[in-house]
Amino acid sequence: MTVDKYILDEARKLLASRIHDSSRRQFLLRSLTLGGVAMLSGCGVSNDKHVETALASISRFNDQVQGWLFDPKALAPVYDESMITRPFPFNAFYGEDDAPSVEQATYRLEVTGLVADKRSWRLEELQAMAQTDQITRHICVEGWSAIGRWGGVRFSDFLKRVGADTGARFVGFKCADDYYTSIDMATALHPQTLLALTYDGQTLPRQYGFPMKLRMPTKLGYKNPKHIQAIFVTNTYPGGYWEDQGYNWFGGS
Ligand SMILES: Nc1nc2c(c(=O)[nH]1)N[C@H]1C(S)=C(S)[C@@H](COP(=O)(O)O)O[C@H]1N2
Ligand SMILES: [Mo]
């Protein structure tokens, strides 16, 4: 099979799996061309025949499709308190004992990039903002999911407070353990996206991301950064720890 045909086949499979309305799906599948995939992925797929380029094109095409299909108002399911998974599973690129210990007294959240107010934040200042909580399902690509209750500041409130340019494309995160990731602005502004400070009514425990994590029930586990130290708003693609190793960047759940 040629690389061109492979790219088109893979792109068709992705479209077929992501679009549930059958007439819309049929239309898009019929009208999809290699040029269309190349344009959407930003890769010159028809000139460069390398397999890596092909895979990168498909992944970026997938990001674009998920971006279009993301409904900024559709809510992820919420669950009853009795359905919370206890104990909640831990996951990171290291073992539980190696999760970072962040000191609240010296902790400062750095906020940079396309924001009007680049002042750093103390944890107490975030705790003083309006808080909300929700019980949602966390889905990890490693094959498990679990229901938990997270509380904190609606991320859209935080972005408004710092005067973020909400027309920018990305919000990036740097963590205390060298993890990093980035998300699309539509998801950053989604009503269920929380800058989570608590877990099950208690201060977020060390291994689950103290002092804060971004909790997004519309995205897979690896897109939810724990131990956030810096947040930045940008139009330059920031990538992520797993994303730069081939995981799909949009990472919708
Ligand atoms: N800082 C940081 N955040 C991270 C990770 C990590 O290794 N470091 N792992 C991610 C992955 S793959 C998952 S499934 C979840 C696990 O979160 P939990 O320990 O609260 O279950 O954190 C995500 N966020
Ligand atoms: Mo994960």
Side-chain angles (χ1 to χ4, degrees), residues 212-253:
M212 78 193 64
K213 69 175 276 179
L214 195 75
R215 175 61 199 144
M216 295 171 284
T218 56
K219 284 211 191 289
L220 293 167
Y222 67 88
K223 298 297 301 181
N224 290 240
K226 304 192 284 188
H227 318 288
I228 299 170
Q229 272 185 331
I231 298 178
F232 57 100
V233 177
T234 179
N235 282 313
T236 307
Y237 177 73
Y241 182 90
W242 289 117
E243 295 88 332
D244 293 350
Q245 299 177 56
Y247 279 45
N248 171 245
W249 176 77
F250 195 89
S253 64

Side-chain angles (χ1 to χ4, degrees), residues 4-167:
D4 287 3
K5 174 140 183 355
Y6 174 77
I7 292 173
L8 258 185
D9 278 0
E10 289 300 306
R12 289 207 169 97
K13 275 189 236 159
L14 270 169
L15 269 183
S17 67
R18 287 279 169 187
I19 299 177
H20 303 294
D21 172 333
S22 69
S23 55
R24 190 160 171 233
R25 182 171 63 217
Q26 281 314 312
F27 171 75
L28 287 167
L29 290 180
R30 262 187 278 113
S31 53
L32 188 68
T33 62
L34 193 66
V37 176
M39 194 184 75
L40 289 166
S41 67
C43 287
V45 285
S46 11
N47 317 327
D48 192 324
K49 309 289 179 187
H50 289 107
V51 172
E52 268 180 45
T53 312
L55 293 174
S57 306
I58 292 158
S59 187
R60 286 202 233 158
F61 173 75
N62 186 356
D63 287 339
Q64 290 291 343
V65 171
Q66 291 189 65
W68 294 330
L69 295 177
F70 182 72
D71 178 345
K73 290 201 179 74
L75 298 180
V78 292
Y79 300 87
D80 190 76
E81 192 164 355
S82 63
M83 294 176 78
I84 293 176
T85 308
R86 298 179 198 280
F88 195 85
F90 164 85
N91 198 29
F93 64 90
Y94 44 74
E96 191 160 344
D97 292 343
D98 295 326
S101 304
V102 175
E103 283 298 325
Q104 178 162 346
T106 51
Y107 175 79
R108 298 290 181 274
L109 172 68
E110 212 182 278
V111 184
T112 61
L114 304 171
V115 298
D117 183 356
K118 295 193 173 68
R119 193 171 53 85
S120 296
W121 288 66
R122 290 184 307 119
L123 190 55
E124 295 79 357
E125 296 174 281
L126 289 163
Q127 288 165 339
M129 284 183 72
Q131 309 283 307
T132 175
D133 77 348
Q134 64 198 14
I135 302 176
T136 55
R137 185 185 293 275
H138 171 117
I139 302 167
C140 174
V141 284
E142 288 173 29
W144 57 271
S145 82
I147 293 172
R149 181 215 298 262
W150 291 271
V153 177
R154 235 186 264 278
F155 196 48
S156 62
D157 289 350
F158 177 78
L159 290 174
K160 274 173 217 142
R161 176 73 87 85
V162 300
D165 173 2
T166 54

